[in-house]
Amino acid sequence: MRVPLTAVPDSHLPSVDELLSIVVSALGGSERQGQLTMVRAVHRAVETGEHLAVQAGTGTGKSLAYLVPSVRHAMDSETPVVVSTATIALQRQLVDRDLPRLAEALGKELPHEPTFAILKGRRNYLCRYKATAGWPEEDEQDQLFDPRDVSATGRMVQRIQEWAEETETGDRDELVPGVSEQAWRQFSVSAQECLGASRCPSGAECFAELAKAKAGEADVVVTNHALLAIDAMGELPVLPEHDVVIVDEAHELVDRVTSVVTGELSESSVSLAVRRVGRLIEQPVADQLMEAGEDLKALLAAAPPGRIDDLPEVLGLTLALVRDSAARCLTALGPRGADKDDPDKAGQRKAAFTALDDVHDAAVRMLEAYGHAGEADRAEVVWLDAGTDRRPPVLRVAPLSVSGMLRDKLFGERTVVLTSATLALGGTFDGLARQWGLGEGGKGWQGIDVGSPFDHPRSGILYVAKHLPQPGRDGLPQQYLDEIAELIEAAGGRTLGLFSSMRAAKAATEALRDRLDVPLLCQGDDSTMLLVKQFAEDEPTCLFGTLSLWQGVDVPGPSLRLVIIDRVPFPRPDDPLTSARQRHVAAKGGNGFMAVAANHAALLLAQGAGRLLRSQQDKGVVAVLDPRLVTARYSGFLLGSLPPFWRTTDPAVPRAALKRLSAES
């Protein structure tokens, strides 16, 4: 349901229009109509309590458009505003650039200079107690059989120990270069494992607690979607008390929340629980869980990967055995608050409870996922991820929808503003709104598109290679490789190739590297950051990779004139979660393909096409090699999700345009 935004009461503070004007002037910028429209809409939403979805194209200046009313509200209500992002890059942009500049510009216009803080999950901060309580015990069995890997991890551990002596924040992201998860895990704890500041010997100087305290005093708290979900859905709050949330990169919200609430069960998780509880309870009780884990290991090793629609009897018996033996271990551990005066013992017990809870609760969820009357009544899906040489198979369980959780836990008592460059799929917000739980009761919501300052029809061409065959499952056809080569030659390099899979990206790289006269980089050749840097600094260079990984690439200027997308990025037909969600929607009378698969494809297409224009001066071509974008029955929906480029299916048009641009560079 969409509700018109009503007028809002005046305040003693300067208006958002005035504040935005001051900031824009201080930054040497000029007023943008889309930015002003967004500022006013966010302000109205915050004041009236109605939820808001804002599509703001690249170049709108959406960060300032939501930060200005957020800071004003924080001052007026003396309550922090939480800004949630999906990527570390945007977090850093907000904390290192946007918020400091805004604070400096508005410091004299508001009761005090705006303050801000970044808050991450506890796992992201070094645990002082774990780092100083002797050599940490590795949580998982050592699966590194290569001595070189072992020594590399050892060097990382030593580097963390040295860094621990000098860091002021304990924030893992400040440890450069980074370290492996295995090394970091030896110096960090999850929220469930933490003893708590009052019981921990290092509680007074805990990095996570210090970050939380700083956030509690800030006007704007920057966090991520995962922590936002944990805060909203957990029993204990991890974020400061707040009544307004800004969700930037909102197109990622559902996937990030789904990841947070996905449970898993494997040989590793059971053996971890056995090791943690083994010395704290009688051996025969721990042995029962170990035996259940061995049964699970044998069963998963022999089972085919994929979605498990009906519960096989042997799996049901094994899950029940894991559940019951974990429950007996939990009982044997005794009361959870014991050993308050012995931090070491309390830490061991807390770690044991955490591991056992994870195993027990995952087994319970998997068993409860079955036994429903029909597909429409099913709430969760269970599937088996195949193992690798380094990792055993993992059984996972995830909700078919998180809309109810979001509606009740996130949107229920707060005002939420959701924004991204890509929210109106097929020209409407309804698809994502359903996934978020908006319009299912509760507060009203408004969806607006404030446009983009870019002149898309004059700056970019959307070329669809209608003459090519439909993509198959056997890799890239030769016609596709020829098309890619001819387009890159016309552009003189300067190409970002976005592929539906890593296999396709590597195959294209191998086939074209010797054929082209320009440098060609591929995802995996080096770190993402270094590859993008090299791509941006050397104009003729091309960069190939997967569509999903390159969503955040921001390369303005002549280094990027051509974006190639090999196919419409539908989810794999055998993807367990998306296929189950698609079937679930259909069972409830909806169009599963459009609600799930087409929405997924439209979102990735829009994100990919959005890489082309990153500044007012940019020009170029987005080339989609998949003819289905203009020939399939769903093509109108997909095209309606893309920026309004000038469109053509004539191969000569983009080649001529790219040659002209190449000559101008």
Side-chain angles (χ1 to χ4, degrees):
M1 179 179 69
R2 295 190 180 143
V3 182
L5 293 169
T6 57
V8 297
D10 293 331
S11 168
H12 64 286
L13 298 173
S15 70
V16 289
D17 289 26
E18 293 170 321
L19 294 174
L20 178 64
S21 178
I22 292 166
V23 175
V24 170
S25 296
L27 299 182
S30 58
E31 185 176 289
R32 288 170 260 185
Q33 185 56 49
Q35 188 179 51
L36 184 58
T37 300
M38 182 172 174
V39 163
R40 292 171 176 172
V42 173
H43 174 59
R44 291 193 195 101
V46 167
E47 294 297 316
T48 61
E50 295 166 343
H51 303 308
L52 176 69
V54 186
Q55 177 162 287
T58 305
T60 303
K62 65 180 169 64
S63 297
L64 286 182
Y66 62 67
L67 288 175
V68 166
S70 295
V71 165
R72 188 182 186 279
H73 174 75
M75 297 280 182
D76 206 20
S77 65
E78 298 184 351
T79 303
V81 171
V82 170
V83 177
S84 179
T85 77
T87 61
I88 293 174
L90 181 54
Q91 284 185 13
R92 294 258 59 102
Q93 176 191 315
L94 291 171
V95 173
D96 296 341
R97 191 185 73 179
D98 295 345
L99 280 163
R101 296 161 77 185
L102 179 144
E104 182 179 1
L106 297 183
K108 296 178 181 179
E109 310 296 328
L110 297 169
H112 63 260
E113 183 171 306
T115 57
F116 52 91
I118 188 167
L119 189 59
K120 305 174 183 180
R122 192 169 291 269
R123 274 281 190 198
N124 291 278
Y125 298 98
L126 180 111
C127 173
R128 286 189 187 272
Y129 179 59
K130 193 169 185 179
T132 57
W135 188 265
E137 179 183 350
E138 177 54 54
D139 281 346
E140 293 186 11
Q141 287 178 323
D142 192 352
Q143 296 173 10
L144 299 173
F145 300 108
D146 188 331
R148 291 171 298 179
D149 290 341
V150 175
S151 62
T153 300
R155 288 192 295 272
M156 290 180 188
V157 166
Q158 184 176 358
R159 196 152 58 81
I160 297 171
Q161 290 173 322
E162 294 169 354
W163 173 76
E165 297 296 323
E166 59 188 39
T167 178
E168 296 181 0
T169 66
D171 186 339
R172 179 181 180 177
D173 290 331
E174 295 182 9
L175 180 58
V176 179
V179 296
S180 69
E181 182 62 28
Q182 183 170 14
W184 180 255
R185 194 169 52 238
Q186 299 184 42
F187 295 87
S188 66
V189 297
S190 66
Q192 292 77 22
E193 295 167 324
C194 177
L195 291 173
S198 61
R199 297 170 61 192
C200 178
S202 302
E205 51 184 4
C206 171
F207 287 123
E209 292 295 327
L210 291 172
K212 188 174 180 181
K214 183 179 180 182
E217 298 173 354
D219 296 310
V220 176
V221 179
V222 179
T223 189
N224 57 62
H225 295 350
L227 195 64
L228 181 70
I230 292 168
D231 176 76
M233 298 173 191
E235 296 179 4
L236 297 174
V238 293
L239 294 170
E241 187 173 337
H242 58 283
D243 58 6
V244 173
V245 177
I246 310 293
V247 180
D248 202 342
E249 300 175 311
H251 61 279
E252 295 266 18
L253 182 62
V254 168
D255 285 345
R256 300 303 172 102
V257 172
T258 299
S259 295
V260 167
V261 296
T262 295
E264 61 179 53
L265 199 57
S266 68
E267 165 199 345
S268 297
S269 61
V270 177
S271 61
L272 170 62
V274 171
R275 291 198 306 279
R276 287 189 170 180
V277 78
R279 293 187 293 273
L280 302 174
I281 64 175
E282 294 181 359
Q283 193 63 41
V285 181
D287 287 345
Q288 291 177 10
L289 180 59
M290 181 179 67
E291 292 167 4
E294 290 173 351
D295 289 348
L296 180 70
K297 174 183 177 181
L299 180 61
L300 298 187
R307 199 177 67 219
I308 305 173
D309 292 331
D310 300 303
L311 182 64
E313 182 179 4
V314 64
L315 178 58
L317 292 172
T318 304
L319 289 173
L321 190 61
V322 170
R323 175 198 63 194
D324 295 342
S325 54
R328 282 190 286 271
C329 289
L330 286 166
T331 301
L333 269 178
R336 293 181 181 252
D339 301 307
K340 292 182 179 179
D341 299 328
D342 185 344
D344 288 339
K345 190 72 174 290
Q348 293 173 14
R349 286 170 53 79
K350 194 78 181 286
F353 274 119
T354 299
L356 287 168
D357 284 338
D358 288 346
V359 167
H360 176 268
D361 295 349
V364 169
R365 282 179 63 186
M366 290 170 185
L367 288 167
E368 291 180 348
Y370 300 96
H372 300 287
E375 185 61 37
D377 300 314
R378 192 189 294 265
E380 299 205 290
V381 59
V382 179
W383 74 94
L384 179 63
D385 270 349
T388 67
D389 293 339
R390 305 283 287 270
R391 298 293 178 197
V394 179
L395 202 60
R396 303 188 193 277
V397 57
L400 287 165
S401 171
V402 295
S403 63
M405 298 180 195
L406 290 172
R407 181 190 63 234
D408 298 339
K409 303 294 186 179
L410 179 60
F411 298 117
E413 298 180 0
R414 301 174 181 88
T415 300
V416 183
V417 175
L418 306 112
T419 185
S420 169
T422 48
L423 293 182
L425 304 181
T428 174
F429 292 88
D430 293 345
L432 285 177
R434 279 192 296 269
Q435 294 182 25
W436 296 328
L438 293 178
E440 299 178 6
K443 296 180 181 180
W445 68 281
Q446 172 90 359
I448 63 168
D449 182 352
V450 300
S452 167
F454 299 157
D455 188 344
H456 285 89
R458 289 181 177 272
S459 302
I461 295 172
L462 173 64
Y463 161 58
V464 183
K466 185 179 178 181
H467 63 285
L468 292 179
Q470 286 193 18
R473 295 186 177 183
D474 301 325
L476 290 169
Q478 185 61 44
Q479 299 101 306
Y480 277 49
L481 294 171
D482 293 341
E483 187 82 19
I484 293 171
E486 291 169 11
L487 286 166
I488 290 176
E489 287 167 353
R494 303 178 177 88
T495 300
L496 179 64
L498 304 177
F499 293 83
S500 55
S501 68
M502 197 62 241
R503 185 178 69 171
K506 288 182 176 178
T509 303
E510 291 173 5
L512 298 175
R513 193 164 258 165
D514 294 334
R515 179 173 172 179
L516 297 171
D517 294 329
V518 294
L520 178 52
L521 307 175
C522 185
Q523 178 182 333
D525 289 348
D526 209 326
S527 73
T528 301
M529 181 177 67
L530 290 175
L531 288 173
V532 173
K533 184 173 185 290
Q534 188 175 345
F535 173 60
E537 291 178 351
D538 183 35
E539 283 189 25
T541 296
C542 300
L543 177 58
F544 286 2
T546 55
L547 189 60
S548 58
L549 191 70
W550 303 113
Q551 284 185 56
V553 170
D554 188 6
V555 181
S559 290
L560 178 53
R561 294 300 195 199
L562 172 63
V563 174
I564 295 176
I565 300 174
D566 69 330
R567 62 191 298 162
V568 176
F570 291 116
R572 289 169 54 98
D574 59 353
D575 180 87
L577 185 54
T578 54
S579 62
R581 285 177 166 172
Q582 188 169 325
R583 190 178 60 174
H584 183 67
V585 170
K588 299 182 78 171
N591 186 325
F593 172 79
M594 293 302 295
V596 180
N599 262 355
H600 177 277
L603 192 56
L604 284 179
L605 269 179
Q607 284 287 314
R611 298 311 98 202
L612 180 66
L613 303 184
R614 309 306 295 177
S615 74
Q616 293 277 12
Q617 292 73 40
D618 288 350
K619 292 183 178 181
V621 173
V622 174
V624 180
L625 307 185
D626 188 340
R628 292 177 297 177
L629 184 57
V630 291
T631 61
R633 54 182 169 77
Y634 47 77
S635 61
F637 175 80
L638 297 179
L639 289 169
S641 307
L642 296 175
F645 296 117
W646 191 80
R647 298 175 187 168
T648 184
T649 57
D650 182 351
V653 172
R655 286 165 175 72
L658 289 168
K659 287 178 181 177
R660 285 196 302 271
L661 289 173
S662 179
E664 293 171 4
S665 297

